[in-house]
Amino acid sequence: MAALTSKEKKKIQKKILQLYAEIERHNRLYYKDSRPEISDFEYDCLKSELLHLESLLPSEMGKIGIGDDRSGNLLTHKHHVPMLSLENTYNLDDIFDFDARIRKLLATEKNIEYVIEPKIDGLAVNLIYEKGQLKYALTRGNGFEGDDVTENVKTIEDLPFHIANVPDLIEIRGEVYMDDEVFQEINTERASAGEIVFANARNLASGTLKLMDSEAVRLRHLKILLYGMGEGNCLEKQSEVYPFLRNLGLISQTYYHVITNLDNIAAIIRDFDRERKQLPYATDGVVFKVNERALQEKLGVTAKAPRWAFAYKFEPERAETILRSVTFQVGRTGVVTPVAELESVYLSGSCVARATLHNADDIMKKDIRIGDTVIVEKSGEIIPAIVGVKLENRPENGLEKLIFPKNCPHCSAQLIRLPEEVAWRCPNADCQEQIIQKIIYFASKTAMNIDGFGESVVRKLIEFGKIKTPADIYALQKEDLYLLENFGEKSVSRLLSNIECSKKTELWRFINALGIPSIGEKIAKDLANHFYHWDTLAVAPLAELERIRGIGRKVAQGILNYFHDSKNLNLFQQLQKIGFEFEKITAQYNPHFEQKVFVLTGTMQQFTRNQAKALIEKNGGFVANALSVNVNILIAGTDAGQKLDAAHKKNIPIWTEADFAEKLTHIAP
Ligand code: IVH
């Protein structure tokens, strides 16, 4: 290649500096704030562009570190052996280059034995056991010292605090993650509580690990998978690490291959890409590790990464489509969510027509415009996200810029952003749209379940001034409903009767319907099980609320605040006059279920997950997400995986679908 002119060098230097700044910003968002604005793939693209430019100007090399996750508000502690990063690629051919480089460094023609294992999309932790006791759990931090998250890591079920027959000082490493199932459930609960959902399990796991309140962490059911060791590693091969850790009672990788050549590597990776979707944690690639530790030592490490390991990462699935419009929706809690309406497109097995643009800053920065060709990405369980714009497709005369509103699109109040929140909110409690959304929610399926009282009915009745609060629903008269379009005598009396019927319902529905911040269906059920009567809930002290299974301090405080607000108290008093009749929670008494905690796994033929859950609850049981000492029975459908193995190990009784169906029919007199 011809030597660079000084003008070209200057240009490259400038671009390198820009990339440094950009990458450092994304490092901060990803590691420190657990709030990335771009996908891992986009981030890796920036890094490989930087590497390419650095290779053109070797004097500029290596200024970017490995990121730093220290949050600044936790104590830190040093790792005995540094925790490094991994070199990675998205290109299969590069695997052969990595292998060639390793053989060159070792000056050998022979094949190298590798272990290949899943790359878990969680966050790295280092467990330091001193004299067999778990002394510290640290995040990777800057590689040399990390945040002390010991108390939070100790909430992980199945992680032993003591291990026997190990050196006085031993470092065990792995990844903290959140089960896809738990993640989905937390998001469902958040959506039902009117809050912004988390983008993916990794961000939620990493945000959770850094919380200051371990009890709140415990409720998030974090998990850990261990795959490596730092100080105190006396083993000769990487492949011995996993059985060694498992013998100590730790949870380690069970999915790995030892390969002696790269002949079938493309097929092995293809198979893994298929199978990884069945694993309970998110994976974003495979990690190759030289198996012999003696060879690892010979190869050593660079400032950023070991020379004996590398990762091949899977490209996320993407598609191009047109952005038709963006709506700024105001929810019942005032949160403003931009929603992208897309020309529908097929992606990872489903049809995508909408994408939540949950990050307002990001759309503005990407300068997305209506009519643009956008790139939609879905990786793992991540909600479809718009990750880029094809500027080359934008018409010559340009398109109109998209502007995130500064004011509520409905009531014009100036939007606010609370400290430490990403969401913009309309602060006006009298905002018509919030009121409409609150009433829609009140009548919805998981709340009072008033059939036929949907969005269009609510909007019309508000418009005609017939309702202003949920309590007004119960004062509606025949002539009010005749105002509705297409409502004849039959539909009017049906709707009135549905309203009347809703007065007799389960208590949890009513609690959920109130729309207390942070409370959705699940917590409403926990509260209903505890209080039996709503009056006692309204006056419950903080300490009592916090003692309830499934409720943390933040939620408890939210409930207290709700019942101290005069507007809410007003509504509450109005509702008290209506004469609701709440059925006892355990309508049927079934000794096989009553007071027992169940976990569901695998697929059932006759019941969906939700049906099974509802039946268990109806018969007096509880459903938990994860196995723990409190779980009494695991119900396993077909294709049950890890949970079934774990239940066997823990001697937790297991029911098949047939057992479950049979027990349901057993109702005590
Ligand atoms: S080995 C020093 N094995 O990937 C060798 N890392 O991109 C590096 N990771 O910080 C660790 N799954 O958090 C290793 N099976 C696995 C992994 C894994 C995920 C993470 C780890 C590391 C990051 C580097």
Side-chain angles (χ1 to χ4, degrees):
M1 196 171 64
L4 296 167
T5 65
S6 75
K7 203 169 163 197
E8 282 167 334
K9 274 191 190 166
K10 279 233 166 70
K11 216 170 144 192
I12 295 176
Q13 258 164 348
K14 194 170 160 211
K15 183 71 199 162
I16 287 180
L17 286 178
Q18 276 172 358
L19 279 169
Y20 281 157
E22 201 173 345
I23 291 172
E24 283 301 352
R25 193 174 100 80
H26 291 300
N27 277 343
R28 206 173 51 242
L29 287 165
Y30 181 87
Y31 289 112
K32 280 206 203 302
D33 305 343
S34 304
R35 194 167 62 82
E37 285 181 0
I38 57 176
S39 68
D40 288 4
F41 182 65
E42 288 174 283
Y43 174 82
D44 289 334
C45 290
L46 289 176
K47 276 195 113 161
S48 73
E49 187 184 350
L50 176 65
L51 276 179
H52 167 71
L53 294 177
E54 283 183 338
S55 73
L56 300 176
L57 281 185
S59 58
E60 293 293 323
M61 228 137 100
K63 292 202 184 125
I64 274 281
I66 61 165
D68 185 352
D69 70 30
R70 290 170 305 169
S71 60
N73 41 24
L74 292 168
L75 291 175
T76 58
H77 197 80
K78 282 200 168 40
H79 304 296
H80 293 271
V81 172
M83 286 182 86
L84 300 174
S85 173
L86 271 179
E87 260 194 272
N88 67 50
T89 179
Y90 288 86
N91 186 343
L92 270 178
D93 292 339
D94 287 350
I95 295 175
F96 296 93
D97 293 347
F98 278 119
D99 174 61
R101 194 175 72 192
I102 285 170
R103 279 188 289 143
K104 191 166 166 216
L105 286 167
L106 293 172
T108 178
E109 298 282 307
K110 283 205 226 131
N111 283 343
I112 306 286
E113 196 171 272
Y114 292 101
V115 175
I116 47 180
E117 60 178 76
K119 187 170 187 309
I120 305 150
D121 197 13
L123 52 145
V125 285
N126 184 20
L127 307 180
I128 303 180
Y129 284 87
E130 287 180 14
K131 295 204 164 59
Q133 293 289 352
L134 176 58
K135 187 80 193 279
Y136 297 107
L138 308 172
T139 66
R140 190 176 72 169
N142 63 355
F144 300 97
E145 62 168 39
D147 276 343
D148 182 340
V149 288
T150 317
E151 290 315 309
N152 290 349
V153 165
K154 280 184 167 173
T155 68
I156 298 177
E157 283 164 19
D158 298 327
L159 179 73
F161 299 171
H162 182 84
I163 50 179
N165 303 324
V166 285
D168 277 357
L169 177 63
I170 186 167
E171 289 183 307
I172 297 170
R173 287 159 182 195
E175 213 75 3
V176 167
Y177 67 92
M178 183 178 283
D179 255 357
D180 290 344
E181 250 178 56
V182 176
F183 169 70
Q184 300 291 0
E185 204 156 296
I186 291 176
N187 258 358
T188 310
E189 180 69 10
R190 276 179 78 87
S192 114
E195 288 173 51
I196 285 194
V197 295
F198 295 104
N200 63 53
R202 192 224 167 255
N203 297 344
L204 179 53
S206 94
T208 301
L209 200 60
K210 304 223 163 181
L211 293 176
M212 307 297 265
D213 172 4
S214 309
E215 282 319 298
V217 177
R218 192 181 300 280
L219 298 174
R220 297 257 178 99
H221 300 287
L222 291 177
K223 295 246 168 118
I224 196 164
L225 196 76
L226 300 157
Y227 49 66
M229 291 162 76
E231 188 71 41
N233 185 354
C234 314
L235 305 171
E236 284 179 5
K237 292 185 174 203
Q238 170 66 29
S239 54
E240 293 166 14
V241 169
Y242 321 106
F244 174 79
L245 296 179
R246 250 175 286 131
N247 278 335
L248 295 176
L250 295 157
I251 307 125
S252 184
Q253 205 83 270
T254 47
Y255 193 107
Y256 61 90
H257 293 282
V258 178
I259 53 163
T260 50
N261 59 60
L262 295 178
D263 293 351
N264 294 321
I265 198 61
I268 293 176
I269 288 182
R270 204 180 331 109
D271 287 347
F272 175 65
D273 193 15
R274 215 173 305 125
E275 289 161 28
R276 71 191 181 107
K277 289 162 189 137
Q278 252 71 57
L279 295 172
Y281 42 82
T283 54
D284 55 353
V286 281
V287 183
F288 286 70
K289 297 174 182 174
V290 170
N291 198 14
E292 300 277 346
R293 290 217 38 240
L295 297 184
Q296 291 184 359
E297 306 264 308
K298 256 195 198 158
L299 288 159
V301 299
T302 69
K304 292 181 205 165
R307 291 197 191 86
W308 47 265
F310 57 90
Y312 167 82
K313 290 175 73 172
F314 297 109
E315 262 191 50
E317 289 174 76
R318 297 178 151 202
E320 281 176 24
T321 187
I322 307 283
L323 178 66
R324 283 275 160 244
S325 63
V326 173
T327 22
F328 293 92
Q329 291 182 344
V330 177
R332 65 190 166 86
T333 58
V335 170
V336 179
T337 325
V339 178
E341 314 283 351
L342 306 166
E343 192 131 297
S344 41
V345 62
Y346 211 66
L347 182 64
S348 312
S350 60
C351 193
V352 176
R354 302 181 101 196
T356 314
L357 295 162
H358 30 78
N359 199 323
D361 297 348
D362 195 36
I363 21 169
M364 299 308 131
K365 214 179 72 244
K366 288 200 176 102
D367 187 20
I368 299 173
R369 301 180 187 198
I370 308 295
D372 262 333
T373 306
V374 291
I375 301 158
V376 200
E377 179 181 304
K378 206 165 146 190
S379 52
E381 77 293 349
I382 300 178
I383 300 161
I386 290 177
V387 294
V389 188
K390 295 203 83 175
L391 289 175
E392 63 271 30
N393 288 16
R394 191 175 277 175
E396 297 252 320
N397 54 1
L399 293 165
E400 218 173 296
K401 254 185 181 309
L402 200 66
I403 296 169
F404 196 94
K406 290 211 163 23
N407 297 81
C408 172
H410 297 278
C411 74
S412 304
Q414 199 172 8
L415 300 183
I416 55 158
R417 195 182 220 174
L418 301 175
E420 292 184 32
E421 267 200 25
V422 277
W424 286 95
R425 281 175 196 270
C426 165
N428 175 13
D430 297 320
C431 169
Q432 182 88 332
E433 185 61 20
Q434 280 186 53
I435 293 171
I436 293 174
Q437 294 297 339
K438 279 196 174 92
I439 299 179
I440 295 173
Y441 187 75
F442 183 90
S444 69
K445 275 214 157 35
T446 59
M448 298 307 281
N449 196 16
I450 309 177
D451 207 17
F453 212 86
E455 175 162 356
S456 59
V457 170
V458 174
R459 287 193 186 276
K460 272 275 174 303
L461 291 173
I462 290 222
E463 193 186 307
F464 296 141
K466 298 295 171 198
I467 49 175
K468 290 195 180 64
T469 73
D472 298 336
I473 297 175
Y474 296 94
L476 284 168
Q477 302 293 319
K478 263 194 177 157
E479 46 286 10
D480 302 327
L481 299 184
Y482 278 125
L483 296 170
L484 297 168
E485 240 165 83
N486 300 329
F487 265 64
E489 201 171 325
K490 260 200 186 148
S491 20
V492 165
S493 62
R494 195 178 317 124
L495 189 50
L496 278 178
S497 128
N498 291 349
I499 293 172
E500 191 57 30
C501 284
S502 78
K503 288 186 190 169
K504 201 167 170 215
T505 186
E506 295 136 309
L507 178 59
W508 71 265
R509 293 187 169 275
F510 177 77
I511 296 175
N512 192 24
L514 289 176
I516 305 171
S518 302
I519 293 183
E521 182 181 338
K522 184 172 170 293
I523 296 184
K525 284 181 183 165
D526 293 334
L527 288 169
N529 279 332
H530 182 88
F531 286 103
Y532 294 98
H533 202 283
W534 52 331
D535 282 344
T536 40
L537 165 65
V539 294
L542 194 65
E544 180 175 5
L545 291 166
E546 276 188 74
R547 270 204 310 273
I548 302 170
R549 184 207 300 251
I551 291 180
R553 164 151 307 172
K554 208 174 133 215
V555 174
Q557 191 63 54
I559 298 172
L560 209 70
N561 294 346
Y562 178 89
F563 288 112
H564 276 94
D565 184 303
S566 61
K567 218 179 163 94
N568 297 332
L569 282 178
N570 235 333
L571 170 68
F572 199 69
Q573 277 158 9
Q574 282 179 326
L575 289 168
Q576 270 173 324
K577 289 184 204 138
I578 289 167
F580 291 104
E581 259 180 76
F582 298 114
E583 291 166 22
K584 222 178 145 299
I585 319 293
T586 329
Q588 275 167 300
Y589 171 68
N590 185 334
H592 295 297
F593 293 88
E594 217 205 4
Q595 289 301 318
K596 295 205 171 106
V597 180
F598 292 78
V599 165
L600 295 162
T601 188
T603 329
M604 293 205 235
Q605 310 306 317
Q606 310 177 46
F607 311 98
T608 64
R609 219 12 104 86
N610 279 340
Q611 284 166 341
K613 194 171 158 218
L615 284 167
I616 291 170
E617 286 170 354
K618 197 164 169 225
N619 282 272
F622 303 96
V623 178
N625 299 314
L627 290 177
S628 73
V629 284
N630 302 322
V631 173
N632 301 99
I633 290 146
L634 178 87
I635 304 180
T638 49
D639 304 322
Q642 284 197 335
K643 281 194 182 137
L644 184 57
D645 298 340
H648 275 301
K649 260 192 228 152
K650 289 178 199 241
N651 289 325
I652 295 176
I654 295 159
W655 289 359
T656 60
E657 179 175 352
D659 297 332
F660 174 53
E662 195 260 326
K663 302 273 195 310
L664 282 173
T665 60
H666 184 123
I667 297 165

